[in-house]
Amino acid sequence: MIQLIPEPYKRALLSAIDNADMDSIQKIIEGNRIDVNSYNDDSFSPVIMDVLTSFGIKNEEERLKILLFFLNRGADPNLNCKSGYNSLHIAVQQKKLVRSLDLLLDFGGDVNATDQNGSSVAYWAIQSFPWRTEGEVRQQHLKVIGKIMMLGADLDQKNKFGVAPRDWLKRSPEDLRLLVEQCEKLNPGYTESSTVQPDFPTNYRFPKIVRHIRTNLIPVRGEAETIEGEMLRGLDILQDEAYRNGNANYSKNHKAFAEFILENLTTFTKTNKDDIKRITDAVKKLMKAEYPCLEDDVYDYLTDQICIFHLKINSNEFGTSKKWWKFW
């Protein structure tokens, strides 16, 4: 059973986090005995992830103080959000959050925990962490990677695309390769986290069809061959970009995915006018790079529409699943 932030206190708590109001945060949490591992049901992210990703916190010293408050009271850095990644996966990919990552590691962060694509914290540390930093900042990054290695990072653990951290290490700068080599010679031990991930609620009308498309129509790597497979793959990418990065890396390819979804859901299967309007309104929320869509209902609704598309396109009226063409 997932523990949610109690509704009477949710808005006040999230507002206090965005304003870096430590006194109010403490009063709300302790005065109302709120579980520090509670989830925000707007995005189904643990509250510690809301601290980590808050755009309202401009000063990283303030962010560290708030994170430390939650961690000292038992917040688990390994808890996943609904999209399948945890706070460490966010922190390891953002240069400004290197000190937050360091802190999360001190409180039991699992360096081999994987995100929804099977990529570990260690993977992201090797893949992108030290590439474009210099001087004191680079040394800080390398220090954290050293800590990741000494916590038992598995550099041969492959993600679902068949790529392991060691594959990236071969192309890494010399100072990083030397650091990793030194750490591995010490044979560090690894302790797997005991985190039990919650079962997230969904509003899917067709969970079996969603499972079928994800399992059979979306490949491990590259583009799907069917229209519905590629629509769901694109929707997953759009949701991940919004939740993980706040659309910081939103590009013309992301917008093209949204346009592809909109075109196919509204023009191919004799969709009625009311549904066309609702689909259009939902997809338009995914086209605004400056306003990341963090509404689960939007993604759930469009997932259902993709399932309906799948049912229609495989009926006698529409024949077998159609292949799609490269659209950018």
Side-chain angles (χ1 to χ4, degrees), residues 4-285:
L4 301 177
I5 302 171
E7 191 61 36
Y9 312 114
K10 182 178 76 173
R11 183 171 301 219
L13 177 59
L14 296 179
S15 176
I17 290 172
D18 281 339
N19 292 315
D21 185 349
M22 190 69 249
D23 289 340
S24 293
I25 293 170
Q26 185 169 355
K27 288 178 182 177
I28 294 168
I29 292 291
E30 295 181 345
N32 301 287
R33 299 182 179 179
I34 295 174
D35 186 341
V36 292
N37 287 312
S38 295
Y39 275 71
N40 171 6
D41 64 353
D42 290 337
S43 58
F44 280 102
S45 58
V47 67
I48 193 174
M49 188 177 288
D50 288 325
V51 175
L52 192 68
T53 60
S54 171
F55 294 113
I57 303 175
K58 305 300 182 184
N59 186 318
E60 290 308 305
E61 292 292 341
E62 295 293 336
R63 193 187 310 276
L64 288 169
K65 289 178 183 177
I66 300 171
L67 284 173
L68 187 59
F69 168 82
F70 281 96
L71 291 166
N72 274 331
R73 285 157 180 77
D76 185 348
N78 299 305
L79 280 174
N80 285 348
C81 66
K82 188 177 181 180
S83 295
Y85 51 85
N86 64 36
S87 295
L88 289 97
H89 296 123
I90 295 174
V92 73
Q93 295 182 70
Q94 298 192 36
K95 183 169 65 175
K96 73 173 185 177
L97 296 177
V98 60
R99 293 170 66 198
S100 294
L101 174 61
D102 197 9
L103 183 62
L104 296 172
L105 292 170
D106 285 341
F107 280 83
D110 187 341
V111 296
N112 293 321
T114 58
D115 61 17
Q116 74 279 21
N117 290 320
S119 298
S120 67
V121 177
Y123 173 94
W124 289 114
I126 300 296
Q127 192 266 354
S128 61
F129 213 6
W131 287 95
R132 297 183 179 88
T133 56
E134 298 177 355
E136 186 177 337
V137 175
R138 185 178 188 81
Q139 293 309 308
Q140 189 178 45
H141 284 189
L142 290 171
K143 178 183 175 183
V144 174
I145 291 180
K147 180 180 286 189
I148 289 171
M149 291 301 305
M150 295 310 298
L151 288 171
D154 182 355
L155 299 190
D156 299 307
Q157 178 178 326
K158 294 182 178 181
N159 63 16
K160 75 175 190 178
F161 306 112
V163 183
R166 199 177 300 280
D167 296 321
W168 285 106
L169 189 63
K170 297 172 185 176
R171 293 177 277 177
S172 294
E174 184 178 358
D175 56 353
L176 177 58
R177 294 199 304 272
L178 180 61
L179 171 64
V180 170
E181 181 181 340
Q182 291 172 338
C183 291
E184 287 195 306
K185 286 180 179 178
L186 298 173
N187 296 316
Y190 166 64
T191 302
E192 186 177 2
S193 73
S194 57
T195 301
V196 177
Q197 301 295 348
D199 291 324
F200 295 100
T202 68
N203 295 317
Y204 295 153
R205 291 169 55 195
F206 310 98
K208 290 183 179 179
I209 298 176
V210 174
R211 193 178 308 115
H212 167 73
I213 295 174
R214 291 192 193 283
T215 303
N216 300 305
L217 302 184
I218 299 178
V220 171
R221 61 177 66 86
E223 302 148 348
E225 290 188 348
T226 63
I227 298 174
E228 60 267 48
E230 189 62 10
M231 282 196 290
L232 189 55
R233 186 178 80 92
L235 186 63
D236 288 344
I237 289 172
L238 287 162
Q239 185 173 17
D240 181 67
E241 175 59 24
Y243 280 107
R244 186 198 294 265
N245 298 319
N247 279 359
N249 299 320
Y250 194 98
S251 68
K252 64 179 182 181
N253 288 351
H254 290 90
K255 187 173 182 180
F257 270 126
E259 291 171 345
F260 181 74
I261 293 167
L262 178 61
E263 177 182 359
N264 283 288
L265 288 184
T266 59
T267 63
F268 196 73
T269 56
K270 299 181 181 179
T271 308
N272 66 51
K273 290 183 179 180
D274 289 341
D275 283 337
I276 286 175
K277 183 181 185 309
R278 189 175 174 191
I279 290 168
T280 301
D281 290 344
V283 175
K284 282 184 175 180
K285 292 182 178 182

